[in-house]
Amino acid sequence: MAGDDHLKQITFHNQKTAPIGMGTWRVGEGNAETTKQEIESIHYGLNHGINVIDTAEMYGEGLAETLVGKATQSFDRSDFQIISKFYPYHATPKLIKASLEKSLNRLQTDYLDLYLLHWRGNTPLAETVSGLEDVKKAGYIKDWGVSNFDLSDLNELASVPDGLNCVVNENLYNLTSRGVEYSILPWQKKHNVDFVGYSPFGSDKNEFLKLKPEIKDIAAQKHVTVFQLLLAWAIRNNDVLSIPKTSSLSHFEDNLKALEIEFTPDELDLLDSYYPKPTHETPLDVI
Ligand SMILES: NC(=O)c1ccc[n+]([C@@H]2O[C@H](COP(=O)([O-])OP(=O)(O)OC[C@H]3O[C@@H](n4cnc5c(N)ncnc54)[C@H](OP(=O)(O)O)[C@@H]3O)[C@@H](O)[C@H]2O)c1
């Protein structure tokens, strides 16, 4: 498989993989030039050992999945994992199957590695889990998971039949949104549910991240960019798959270098002093 053997690795979904994947929100929605860059970016990632792609039926109402399908056709399907997600109002067994068929068509593949409930809606979890187990048994997905679940959602999930077959929960995670460290990450470790952290840079145009100016100074002292610092911080404990989105090869190159950045205990303490570790349960941050 193409890849960089020196890359830091974690075990994600029972496979050794780099601790970063590729986000695809807002891709596939632009003109021929941006489409070309987005495809090149996915090729760059796959050629450099970044082999988990995160997408959703919501992203551009299928346009992101279509682009991922195009971009991945020349790669061996067993060399990368695709995560996709369905809307909460498609969370009944019948609608899950219908959404999944459309996603598979757009992605030009016959299976997903992981299929996630994008966020909680009104369908009882037992019904959603039963629908997910059906499509898993039929071979259309390898496994399933959830996204934007807080502690009470996870506990409720654990209480329904087959609920603990959930293998992933994907939540917002970056330096300024670290509430999940208090009880969600420990819960997931205990129950063998992998954690995917989204929006390490605060999403598009970083609009959900108002960084304190001192963070810039800390990055400068380490001779790294703020983006590299943020990404390296998100993956510092080898227990998170962070999924930054970039459609720029030079940004991608920068992001790969974040895999080599380590923090001293003093640097971590300093970052904690600006963005403290959670000391109590807080409402889940979402984008
Ligand atoms: N499950 C959920 O509910 C949920 C919610 C939100 C996001 N997600 C997933 O998480 C992924 C990542 O989150 P996100 O897209 O919201 O935001 P993000 O990854 O935090 O930030 C993306 C932004 O950062 C820029 N960027 C990336 N690398 C950079 C670098 N090295 N230097 C400067 N700018 C850089 C990108 O622009 P360029 O393209 O120009 O580099 C883009 O504007 C999404 O794409 C999606 O797959 C999931």
Side-chain angles (χ1 to χ4, degrees):
M1 180 184 104
D4 285 2
D5 291 338
H6 68 276
L7 285 184
K8 181 170 173 169
Q9 298 225 301
I10 56 168
T11 301
F12 174 75
H13 193 208
N14 295 322
Q15 294 176 40
K16 287 274 171 220
T17 185
I20 67 168
M22 294 185 255
T24 66
W25 192 12
R26 306 185 183 87
V27 311
E29 300 177 29
N31 57 26
E33 180 54 30
T34 54
T35 299
K36 186 167 161 275
Q37 285 165 5
E38 288 158 359
I39 289 179
E40 280 172 3
S41 181
I42 292 175
H43 288 177
Y44 183 89
L46 292 173
N47 285 327
H48 286 82
I50 303 305
N51 52 16
V52 179
I53 303 174
D54 180 80
T55 191
E57 65 173 343
M58 184 196 106
Y59 300 163
E61 294 299 327
L63 293 175
E65 289 182 327
T66 301
L67 183 125
V68 171
K70 266 191 209 145
T72 51
Q73 281 316 290
S74 53
F75 290 80
D76 184 335
R77 181 67 183 86
S78 62
D79 280 348
F80 61 92
Q81 301 198 54
I82 302 180
I83 305 174
S84 193
K85 317 183 201 79
F86 53 96
Y87 280 118
Y89 46 85
H90 289 162
T92 62
K94 195 170 157 212
L95 294 177
I96 286 174
K97 192 160 178 285
S99 278
L100 178 58
E101 272 168 12
K102 289 184 200 144
S103 287
L104 292 175
N105 271 332
R106 290 188 288 257
L107 288 159
Q108 302 183 52
T109 184
D110 44 21
Y111 71 93
L112 295 180
D113 296 275
L114 290 160
Y115 201 30
L116 274 48
L117 170 62
H118 208 148
W119 65 90
R120 270 207 81 171
N122 298 326
T123 308
L125 285 177
E127 220 184 297
T128 303
V129 170
S130 128
L132 286 165
E133 286 290 315
D134 288 348
V135 289
K136 185 170 85 174
K137 280 188 198 104
Y140 296 120
I141 63 170
K142 298 275 186 213
D143 278 300
W144 60 265
V146 294
S147 179
N148 298 303
F149 266 41
D150 68 13
L151 191 66
S152 69
D153 296 325
L154 289 170
N155 279 323
E156 189 182 330
L157 181 64
S159 75
V160 307
D162 294 326
L164 279 174
N165 289 349
C166 171
V167 302
V168 161
N169 179 30
E170 177 175 313
N171 282 357
L172 176 64
Y173 186 56
N174 60 47
L175 182 63
T176 72
S177 277
R178 50 188 300 195
V180 296
E181 288 173 30
Y182 185 71
S183 58
I184 292 179
L185 276 174
W187 190 100
Q188 293 194 206
K189 254 178 219 160
K190 183 173 161 208
H191 293 91
N192 285 322
V193 177
D194 288 339
F195 184 85
V196 180
Y198 68 72
S199 304
F201 307 135
S203 206
D204 197 34
K205 300 180 188 62
N206 321 118
E207 63 186 304
F208 296 94
L209 194 74
K210 304 284 175 252
L211 276 181
K212 296 182 179 163
E214 292 85 351
I215 305 302
K216 230 185 195 169
D217 302 336
I218 299 173
Q221 276 156 21
K222 276 182 85 59
H223 306 289
V224 300
T225 68
V226 169
F227 287 86
Q228 289 172 322
L229 180 138
L230 289 171
L231 191 51
W233 181 89
I235 59 173
R236 69 200 180 287
N237 291 329
N238 296 321
D239 55 0
V240 168
L241 177 81
S242 185
I243 47 167
K245 175 266 168 191
T246 181
S247 306
S248 144
L249 294 190
S250 74
H251 290 170
F252 213 135
E253 212 178 308
D254 282 354
N255 294 349
L256 281 187
K257 288 190 194 132
L259 301 187
E260 294 161 22
I261 297 171
E262 301 287 347
F263 294 96
T264 64
D266 284 351
E267 287 169 338
L268 289 174
D269 286 347
L270 190 58
L271 290 166
D272 285 349
S273 71
Y274 295 112
Y275 293 101
K277 284 180 198 174
T279 53
H280 56 278
E281 198 68 51
T282 46
L284 185 69
D285 280 348
V286 296
I287 288 185

